[in-house]
Amino acid sequence: MFERLEQFPDDAILGLMAAYQADRDPRKVDLGVGVYRDERGQTPVLQAVRQAERALLERQTTKSYVGLIGNPGFNHALEQLVFGAGHPVLASGRLRTVQTPGGCGALRLGAELLRFAAAEASVYVSTPTWANHVPLLSGAGIPLERYPYYDPATKGVRFSALLEAFEQLPPRSIVLLHGCCHNPTGADLSQSQWRELLGVVSRRALLPYIDLAYLGLGAGVEPDAFGVRLFAEQLPEVLVAVSCSKNFGLYRERTGALHVIGESPAVAQAALSQLLRIARTTYSMPPDHGAAIVHEVLSNDGLRSAWLTELDGMRGRITGLRRQLVASFARSCPGRDFSFIEAQRGMFSYLDITREQVRALRERHHLYMTEDSRINIAGLRSENLDYFADCVARVL
């Protein structure tokens, strides 16, 4: 039966990874794949994670299933981290959490729930958005539409256009929002913009679906969670997909969660029951190891403090690289303003160069980035910043 299948095109980012690995030039730089790297170019195991893992392995007595809902301790700890201790939603009984296989698993699980709950609704994603948002959501059978977000002229958010677009959306539309560290642009909403957006979302009866993949890597855990916490407090229904890949460095452990907030405890419980039904018919039980590590870190005061220190260090490195890169561009490209890079947050920025220039950087200078010129700032190192800036200047 398989003879009818056609070859599916390679994933663009995974193809870029393969090309980078095959390149033997010592000057090569990988700015395409979205993983954090340290000054040595490594994606390290955090010390807090290593200590938690060691403690877990010493006392673990079984590898049996954890259940459809996942690790209850992990779910509770993540609720406290994302929403903050004392948040009204925690005491209201309107919040339910399901552990998922990574942030991608959370996004898809939520999409399947939305298709079941509101088959007529469309999901609106930002222009641009993370490339995998489209297949993850549309693969569940939900119609996808776009709303304006990034302004190439200002390198910031087209906030007036965004508000105008949201005002025109039909009630019960779903809007996918980036909680912080917008991927691929690095252009985030300010706290005042989140507040203004809340009014439109509430007035138009829209359902916010917030992707929180980089908590702590923008401005810190508290400010990065501002939008999620504001919407959770003020709106009757919210979905939040959370990933622990970046901030805990647990990429291959596939550790994530989906938070669902209902108008009442009964509504939230019904949503949870449907999520567990969907999970049972897809992946069934989530993996345990990464979630157990996160639970250990967040429930141990010493490990939690160590993790926050390491997270501060990762964020500080990214912020420092942004500042250094702007300085390097000022020397290499004095006629072009790259100061926007320092104002953006998280791991990504757009260079706003053409696809031909991106290909030239790859083919002539061994610099790998996605075709839309998104770069992973954390892929740079102090030793290659000037090389990177000089090469960009050559192709401009």
Side-chain angles (χ1 to χ4, degrees):
M1 289 184 287
F2 298 155
E3 71 273 7
R4 298 178 182 178
L5 297 178
E6 296 180 358
Q7 181 70 34
F8 191 79
D10 291 337
D11 181 279
I13 292 180
L14 298 183
L16 197 67
M17 182 191 305
Y20 172 81
Q21 291 171 345
D23 192 335
R24 296 291 176 253
D25 194 288
R27 298 169 298 174
K28 68 178 182 178
V29 183
D30 179 10
L31 304 173
V33 180
V35 299
Y36 174 81
R37 290 192 173 92
D38 61 18
E39 188 60 27
R40 297 176 301 166
Q42 303 297 315
T43 301
V45 177
L46 302 186
Q47 288 303 308
V49 166
R50 192 179 297 279
Q51 291 177 43
E53 189 170 41
R54 189 179 298 119
L56 284 170
L57 292 175
E58 287 178 354
R59 68 170 187 262
Q60 195 171 59
T61 60
T62 182
K63 292 291 185 181
S64 185
Y65 296 120
V66 294
L68 290 172
I69 203 168
N71 182 325
F74 164 80
N75 292 344
H76 175 73
L78 213 58
E79 289 172 355
Q80 296 283 322
L81 178 69
V82 170
F83 297 99
H87 191 284
V89 79
L90 298 179
S92 70
R94 299 190 301 117
L95 172 65
R96 298 292 185 275
T97 301
V98 179
Q99 181 196 330
T100 60
C104 289
L107 285 164
R108 183 53 177 264
L109 190 66
E112 295 286 351
L113 177 70
L114 292 169
R115 183 183 63 82
F116 183 74
E120 75 286 355
S122 294
V123 176
Y124 291 79
V125 300
S126 64
T127 303
T129 194
W130 178 45
N132 212 26
H133 276 152
V134 174
L136 279 172
L137 300 177
S138 63
I142 305 178
L144 248 67
E145 304 289 347
R146 297 275 183 171
Y147 64 83
Y149 187 83
Y150 182 68
D151 186 347
T154 65
K155 310 299 188 291
V157 180
R158 297 178 58 197
F159 191 62
S160 295
L162 184 157
L163 289 180
E164 184 178 347
F166 277 27
E167 289 280 13
Q168 303 303 315
L169 295 183
R172 293 170 59 85
S173 294
I174 304 147
V175 288
L176 185 74
L177 302 168
H178 297 232
C180 64
C181 305
H182 186 273
N183 179 4
T185 69
D188 279 357
L189 297 173
S190 67
Q191 292 190 1
S192 63
Q193 288 172 333
W194 276 107
R195 292 190 184 95
E196 193 169 352
L197 185 60
L198 170 66
V200 178
V201 169
S202 177
R203 184 168 58 254
R204 296 297 303 164
L206 308 178
L207 175 63
Y209 193 175
I210 304 177
D211 186 2
L212 193 62
Y214 301 93
L215 180 65
L217 288 173
V221 170
E222 300 299 315
D224 287 355
F226 177 83
V228 168
R229 295 176 181 182
L230 177 69
F231 277 39
E233 181 177 1
Q234 299 293 328
L235 296 174
E237 295 181 344
V238 183
L239 281 175
V240 185
V242 181
S243 169
C244 298
S245 293
K246 277 75 176 179
N247 50 12
F248 285 89
L250 291 171
Y251 301 90
R252 65 176 62 171
E253 303 297 349
R254 310 314 301 134
T255 308
L258 180 68
H259 302 298
V260 56
I261 296 170
E263 190 171 14
S264 68
V267 169
Q269 188 62 31
L272 175 64
S273 73
Q274 294 294 340
L275 287 171
L276 297 182
R277 174 190 62 80
I278 296 165
R280 182 58 171 159
T281 60
T282 50
Y283 58 83
S284 194
M285 313 289 182
D288 171 64
H289 193 63
I293 290 171
V294 172
H295 178 214
E296 182 79 8
V297 169
L298 294 179
S299 60
N300 181 299
D301 289 344
L303 290 179
R304 183 188 180 99
S305 177
W307 168 68
L308 287 171
T309 298
E310 290 183 274
L311 183 61
D312 288 347
M314 290 192 289
R315 184 178 66 254
R317 169 174 151 72
I318 293 170
T319 302
L321 284 170
R322 287 185 176 278
R323 183 170 55 251
Q324 295 173 55
L325 183 56
V326 170
S328 292
F329 274 137
R331 291 189 294 270
S332 299
C333 313
R336 186 154 175 169
D337 182 13
F338 284 96
S339 61
F340 63 90
I341 292 175
E342 188 172 356
Q344 294 169 348
R345 289 178 176 172
M347 289 168 47
F348 303 109
S349 279
Y350 265 167
L351 285 185
D352 278 328
I353 60 178
T354 67
R355 292 178 182 271
E356 291 73 21
Q357 290 167 333
V358 169
R359 293 189 192 104
L361 287 171
R362 182 171 64 246
E363 294 166 4
R364 298 181 203 166
H365 305 293
H366 311 276
L367 300 174
Y368 292 80
M369 66 189 72
T370 56
E371 290 286 313
D372 58 4
S373 82
R374 184 199 78 168
I375 61 170
N376 175 9
I377 299 290
L380 291 166
R381 291 181 279 169
S382 298
E383 64 185 39
N384 60 27
L385 272 169
D386 288 338
Y387 171 71
F388 173 69
D390 289 344
C391 292
V392 171
R394 292 192 188 107
V395 304
L396 289 178

